[in-house]
Amino acid sequence: MINRRTALPLLASPLLLTGCGGSGGEAGHRTRPTRPAPATGTTSQAEQTPRGIPGLGPTRTAAIPEQCTQAVVATGRGPNSPQCTVVLHQRTADGWQPGPSWPAHNALHGWSAHHMLGDLRSPLGVYTLSDAGGLLPDPGSRLPYHESSGFHSPGTGFEGEPLDGCFDYVIAIDYNRRPGTSPLDWTRPLGPKRGGGVWLHVDHGGPTHGCVSVAKAHMKDLLRTLDPARHPVVAMGYADWLAA
């Protein structure tokens, strides 16, 4: 069954069949209210400058499109670590507001600035989020959602954990893919050797091939919150890289 809405074009392995870093499928402006001057007659720097995203330095912040008001930040523990945390930040008139911090996994060998097929590293970068899908029916996604049996994920992970259900819900990360298509689309603008099918998907309790995974309940939260009209992105990498 395919249930797909019209996609909104934005910017920018299989694990067995597709996804998680493989060859077949694996980054509104509101007027700020006027505030009365402090009693001292001066305005602090903190009051003058809207809050940025904690942990993101000027280089990574500059990579976030101006129109973006939703940013998923996946912060790895180190360049070679498969463990990370994920936080959804939403921009308001007062700056970026963080949501809860969720434990997550990234690729087995950590991160890469030049991701290649089969390197078992997640690509560093800031990528748009354009499309979603999964094995299960649409839970209320705002992103275009593609329900398909192609999201089946048999087998076991690197730590012997079952992979069944890890593609129940996915959000395609626009690394080496064509935005506005199903996450299962095999188009690779950078060529197949650069991998693809890097997704946010349901965590299976261990490292991924290249994706970022969070608990099923958190995937539902993301699907119901990320809004194409707000131009969502993901900023993903280890902490020192994100801080640059």
Side-chain angles (χ1 to χ4, degrees):
M1 170 183 177
I2 296 179
N3 175 19
R4 181 166 182 78
R5 300 193 293 277
T6 302
L8 177 65
L10 300 176
L11 303 174
S13 303
L15 177 65
L16 302 171
L17 294 180
T18 184
C20 218
S23 61
E26 285 237 312
H29 179 74
R30 291 174 57 190
T31 303
R32 188 176 178 187
T34 303
R35 295 184 177 183
T40 59
T42 62
T43 303
S44 71
Q45 183 66 30
E47 288 176 322
Q48 292 176 354
T49 306
R51 287 187 292 272
I53 298 178
L56 261 59
T59 301
R60 310 310 166 207
T61 299
I64 296 176
E66 183 178 355
Q67 69 269 32
C68 169
T69 61
Q70 291 180 320
V72 178
V73 179
T75 305
R77 293 189 181 180
N80 302 311
S81 172
Q83 296 181 314
C84 62
T85 58
V86 166
V87 177
L88 172 60
H89 300 259
Q90 303 200 66
R91 191 161 63 184
T92 71
D94 294 323
W96 289 94
Q97 305 295 330
S101 178
W102 301 328
H105 284 96
N106 52 274
L108 178 68
H109 293 161
W111 302 90
S112 173
H114 191 78
H115 176 66
M116 298 294 290
L117 176 65
D119 66 5
L120 299 181
R121 291 182 179 271
S122 298
L124 297 163
V126 177
Y127 305 101
T128 51
L129 301 171
S130 309
D131 305 280
L135 185 65
L136 298 182
D138 184 350
S141 175
R142 296 189 176 192
L143 297 170
Y145 190 90
H146 177 199
E147 179 188 350
S148 172
S149 60
F151 291 102
H152 183 47
S153 52
T156 56
F158 295 109
E159 298 178 355
E161 74 279 10
L163 299 178
D164 185 51
C166 69
F167 299 154
D168 281 353
Y169 301 119
V170 311
I171 296 171
I173 294 170
D174 291 340
Y175 166 82
N176 199 19
R177 71 178 299 268
R178 183 174 61 187
T181 62
S182 165
L184 296 174
D185 185 271
W186 284 35
T187 303
R188 298 290 174 257
L190 300 177
K193 291 183 179 180
R194 293 298 304 277
V198 182
W199 299 341
L200 293 163
H201 66 68
V202 176
D203 190 68
H204 47 77
T208 71
H209 279 64
C211 297
V212 173
S213 60
V214 296
K216 192 170 188 174
H218 302 329
M219 278 301 301
K220 285 185 177 181
D221 288 342
L222 289 175
L223 286 166
R224 292 166 178 168
T225 304
L226 295 177
D227 185 349
R230 300 186 66 182
H231 307 280
V233 304
V234 60
M236 50 194 283
Y238 56 94
D240 288 347
W241 184 87
L242 289 172

